[in-house]
């Protein structure tokens, strides 16, 4: 739920988009976001920086406040954009034409 305080530690998967909080601005966590952003190495995130749902804590422990859940997260928005695209690929169009041609030939042979 937006506004919830969560504790993150090594090995945890971030459950929602959130912002790191804490009394020390230099406190940090090393976060692996490879599945979301394609970055090959973990990135260092400091207090008041944003974490993305699905990233993994590789080093450090810190609290965070949830800012977005479900379809309002970075991951949810990306999935929504992919879901909204309704186009047929070239291969699918070719197979459809072949199927129609074979159907036409079979109807002519039946008569």
């Amino acid at each position: 739920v937006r506004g919830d305080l969560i504790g993150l530690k090594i090995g945890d998967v971030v459950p929602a988009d959130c912002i790191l909080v804490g009394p020390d601005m230099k406190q940090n966590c090393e976060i692996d976001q490879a599945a979301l952003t394609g970055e090959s190495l973990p990135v260092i995130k400091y207090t008041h920086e944003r974490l993305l749902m699905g990233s993994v804590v590789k080093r450090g422990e810190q609290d965070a406040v949830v800012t977005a859940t479900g379809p309002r997260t970075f991951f949810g928005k990306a999935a929504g954009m992919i879901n909204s695209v309704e186009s047929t690929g070239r291969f699918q169009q070719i197979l459809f034409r072949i199927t129609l041609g074979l159907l036409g030939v079979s109807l002519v042979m039946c008569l």
Side-chain angles (χ1 to χ4, degrees):
V1 176
R2 192 168 186 239
D4 280 358
L5 182 67
I6 54 175
L8 298 171
K9 60 185 182 308
I10 295 172
D12 285 351
V13 176
V14 179
D17 284 3
C18 54
I19 294 181
L20 291 172
V21 294
D24 185 7
M25 294 296 288
K26 293 184 179 185
Q27 187 176 1
N28 64 56
C29 287
E30 202 168 284
I31 307 294
D32 181 6
Q33 301 181 134
L36 301 170
T37 63
E39 295 178 47
S40 59
L41 298 173
V43 293
I44 296 174
K45 297 284 188 169
Y46 293 93
T47 301
H48 297 295
E49 285 194 58
R50 181 176 171 214
L51 299 181
L52 303 176
M53 179 180 91
S55 51
V56 180
V57 179
K58 291 295 184 183
R59 185 180 57 83
E61 291 184 11
Q62 197 162 352
D63 290 333
V65 174
V66 174
T67 58
T69 58
R72 291 177 297 281
T73 62
F74 175 83
F75 188 73
K77 288 176 185 174
M81 286 191 301
I82 291 170
N83 225 7
S84 69
V85 176
E86 292 185 26
S87 65
T88 56
R90 179 85 174 128
F91 183 67
Q92 188 176 1
Q93 292 172 351
I94 291 170
L95 285 178
F96 183 70
R97 287 183 188 148
I98 290 171
T99 303
L100 284 179
L102 290 173
L103 178 64
V105 169
S106 67
L107 287 174
V108 169
M109 292 177 75
C110 287
L111 297 175

